[in-house]
């Protein structure tokens, strides 16, 4: 049955880290709108900040992230100077008393910044937005690109959550995906992180890679478990060579079929569950003590551009090229090219190039989709309480999903529920609540 539905509705489906998704942003949002939204953040409220560093030492073939390779530190230093200026501009616009809830550095490889730059940029962030109580500072760390000096700089700047890219431990698969990283290197990075008192460790691994088998993913997951991560992101490999040109290096004829991908996910899932991890949404696992597991239990799990989060701040400000900000009023995305971003900031303007102003309809559909992605259920009472929608209209929306997915969704007076056996279809079911034209490119495969 799942296989039938996959054949019928499979195809590319968004990961719904936002609604509407980024391909639907337009030029309706520019630097002036972004500035107004920043100025409208209430005094003494909490915001979160995402900082993008789109550089890597070498480019892994499998990677779909927008990033550029550089052997020299010069472009990274120049980029960090631009970030310092951008943070200074942000500081000037913010109302007094605004505090930081979450700070995340992603990329690319933020640890490509030399140690002195890490210190200066972190200092500038905390100068622009002082750290709030219980705040978290997390950074994506490539185990191939970290050393004691940079780790010390991060730890002394207050890092308390680290994320390492693993992908797969199998040497043959690593070769084929252009990402070679021995177990020792990964374990060394984990030890380096823990020895600095950074208590929370996240690791990214992938299923759906070429030549991956049940036996191989089992071995990979067991190796990962030996490092005892607090959280794991188990992403489905997205093969999108029309967007990420370097993926033409990946032998597409050796990629697993959708059915095989389902099995690989299930094999890994069972291993995490047996090891005591809690399944979070469609692709995360966390120890019961971890913030994500606690948020899920409390019904406070959220979805944002970094995936799942327990952050409750109403505003996420994106700094750096291509970063996306989320405000209660809409989305704003910075210029994607580092050159265009730098030009704008050097001329004293934010680089906002695209975005989207929410309609009431967007807000309703965004919540329906987020609820499915986080909790696999839409609570009808919560929706009727929070949005101007009639019970009849909500029931009609549920009926559309049920007509397509039959007993893969359970509809009742309480709302709509995706039972456990149908969860691999979650993104496809969420798509039936998406009102935008889905033919736009940029989405990953359904499973
Ligand atoms: C910015 S990268 C990680 C940070 C760091 N540069 C590293 O490589 O360790 C974020 C994550 O995105 C995931 N990712 C990248 N390309 C992907 C793809 N094509 N499909 C699925 N996940 C992908 C990988 O798991 C990767 O660890
Ligand atoms: S996986 Fe990480 S290191 Fe590799 S290209 Fe992507 S962002 Fe860069």
């Amino acid at each position: 049955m799942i296989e039938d539905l996959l054949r019928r509705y499979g195809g590319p489906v968004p990961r719904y880290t936002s609604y509407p998704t980024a391909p639907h942003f337009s030029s309706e949002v520019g630097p002036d709108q972004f500035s107004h939204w920043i100025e409208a953040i209430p005094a003494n409220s909490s915001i979160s900040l995402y900082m993008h560093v789109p550089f890597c030492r070498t480019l892994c073939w499998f990677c779909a992230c927008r990033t550029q390779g550089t052997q020299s530190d010069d472009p990274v230093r120049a980029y960090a100077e631009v970030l310092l200026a951008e943070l200074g501009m942000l500081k000037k616009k913010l109302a007094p008393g605004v505090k930081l809830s979450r700070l995340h550095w992603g990329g690319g490889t933020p640890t490509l910044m030399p140690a002195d730059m890490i210190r200066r940029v972190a200092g500038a962030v905390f100068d622009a937005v002082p750290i709030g109580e219980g705040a978290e500072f997390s950074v994506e760390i490539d185990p191939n690109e970290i050393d004691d000096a940079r780790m010390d700089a991060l730890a002394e700047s207050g890092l308390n959550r680290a994320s390492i890219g693993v992908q797969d431990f199998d040497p043959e698969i690593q070769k084929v995906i252009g990402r070679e990283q021995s177990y020792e290197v990964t374990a060394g990075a984990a030890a380096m992180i823990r020895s600095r008192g950074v208590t929370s460790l996240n690791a990214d691994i992938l299923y759906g890679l070429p030549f991956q088998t049940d036996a191989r993913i089992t071995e990979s997951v067991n190796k990962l478990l030996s490092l005892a991560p607090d959280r794991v992101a188990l992403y489905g490999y997205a093969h999108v060579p029309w967007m990420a040109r370097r993926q033409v290096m990946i032998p597409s004829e050796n990629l697993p079929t959708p059915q095989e991908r389902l099995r690989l996910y299930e094999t890994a899932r069972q291993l995490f569950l047996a090891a005591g991890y809690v399944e979070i949404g469609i692709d995360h696992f966390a120890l019961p003590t971890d913030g994500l597991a606690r948020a899920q239990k409390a019904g406070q799990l959220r979805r944002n551009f970094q995936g799942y989060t327990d952050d409750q701040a109403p505003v996420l400000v994106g700094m750096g090229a291509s970063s996306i900000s989320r405000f209660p009023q809409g989305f704003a995305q910075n210029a994607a090219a580092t050159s265009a971003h730098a030009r704008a900031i050097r001329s004293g303007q934010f680089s906002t190039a695209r975005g989207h102003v929410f309609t009431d309809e967007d807000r309703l559909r965004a919540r329906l989709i987020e609820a499915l992605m986080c909790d696999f259920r839409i609570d009808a009472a919560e929706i009727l309480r929070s949005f101007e929608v009639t019970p009849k209209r909500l029931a009609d929306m549920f009926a559309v999903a049920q007509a397509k997915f039959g007993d893969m969704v359970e509809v009742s007076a309480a709302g709509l529920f995706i039972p456990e056996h149908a969860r691999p279809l979650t993104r496809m079911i969420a798509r039936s609540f998406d009102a935008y034209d889905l033919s736009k490119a940029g989405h990953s495969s359904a499973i």
Side-chain angles (χ1 to χ4, degrees), residues 385-400:
R385 211 169 41 240
S386 315
F387 299 92
E388 287 202 4
V389 57
T390 62
K392 160 89 172 71
R393 171 130 198 271
L394 191 58
D396 288 348
M397 291 170 101
F398 290 171
V400 170

Side-chain angles (χ1 to χ4, degrees), residues 189-435:
M192 208 185 271
I193 289 164
R194 288 235 164 85
S195 71
R196 300 318 193 271
V198 177
T199 46
S200 179
L201 180 68
N202 172 89
D204 295 343
I205 59 166
L206 298 177
Y207 71 93
L209 293 172
F211 300 109
Q212 227 172 16
T213 59
D214 278 357
R216 282 178 158 175
I217 203 167
T218 298
E219 198 177 329
S220 223
V221 170
N222 283 335
K223 283 194 170 139
L224 181 59
L225 287 171
S226 75
L227 304 177
D230 301 83
R231 264 182 213 177
V232 177
L234 173 60
Y235 294 129
Y237 167 59
H239 190 62
V240 286
W242 57 93
M243 282 175 61
R245 290 278 315 280
R246 53 188 179 269
Q247 287 186 348
V248 297
M249 304 291 286
I250 305 274
S252 51
E253 65 281 11
N254 300 112
L255 288 171
T257 63
Q259 286 71 22
E260 287 164 347
R261 282 171 71 99
L262 266 179
R263 226 192 27 245
L264 289 166
Y265 182 85
E266 187 56 25
T267 302
R269 170 177 180 262
Q270 290 301 338
L271 291 166
F272 288 122
L273 295 181
Y277 287 74
V278 179
E279 192 170 14
I280 308 286
I282 61 161
D283 54 14
H284 276 62
F285 296 85
L287 291 177
T289 46
D290 182 84
L292 279 190
R294 284 186 277 124
Q296 171 168 275
K297 207 167 172 188
Q300 290 182 334
L301 190 64
R302 294 278 172 269
R303 192 134 172 94
N304 70 8
F305 296 105
Q306 284 99 62
Y308 290 104
T309 178
D310 52 1
D311 184 22
Q312 306 298 316
V315 172
L316 172 68
V317 175
M319 296 270 104
S322 82
S323 285
I324 302 177
S325 301
R326 187 197 193 286
F327 299 91
Q329 303 92 329
F331 295 123
Q333 180 168 26
N334 288 345
T338 49
S339 54
H341 175 254
R343 224 174 10 256
I345 300 297
R346 286 187 188 124
S347 73
Q349 274 227 324
F350 287 112
S351 84
T352 320
R354 289 152 26 96
H356 182 84
V357 179
F358 295 141
T359 63
D360 287 344
E361 184 71 9
D362 290 332
R363 289 193 176 88
L364 165 66
R365 290 179 182 272
R367 179 59 198 144
L368 297 174
I369 288 172
E370 184 187 46
L372 288 177
M373 297 292 294
C374 291
D375 305 321
F376 304 108
R377 75 171 70 235
I378 296 169
D379 176 347
E382 177 219 311
I383 299 298
L384 295 172
R385 211 169 41 240
S386 315
F387 299 92
E388 287 202 4
V389 57
T390 62
K392 160 89 172 71
R393 171 130 198 271
L394 191 58
D396 288 348
M397 291 170 101
F398 290 171
V400 170
Q402 194 155 44
K404 266 190 175 174
F405 293 101
D407 65 359
M408 297 284 150
V409 295
E410 291 171 8
V411 175
S412 71
L416 182 143
F417 177 64
I418 305 177
E420 199 169 322
H421 68 271
R423 298 213 172 144
L425 301 175
T426 301
R427 287 189 297 137
M428 290 164 56
I429 297 169
R431 185 169 64 168
S432 62
F433 293 92
D434 186 336

Side-chain angles (χ1 to χ4, degrees), residues 55-65 67 107-109 142 167 179 246:
F55 295 95
C56 298
R57 201 61 81 201
T58 52
L59 296 180
C60 313
W61 301 340
F62 77 94
C63 179
C65 301
T67 182
T109 302
D142 175 355
Q167 326 310 346
R179 163 77 175 225
R246 53 188 179 269

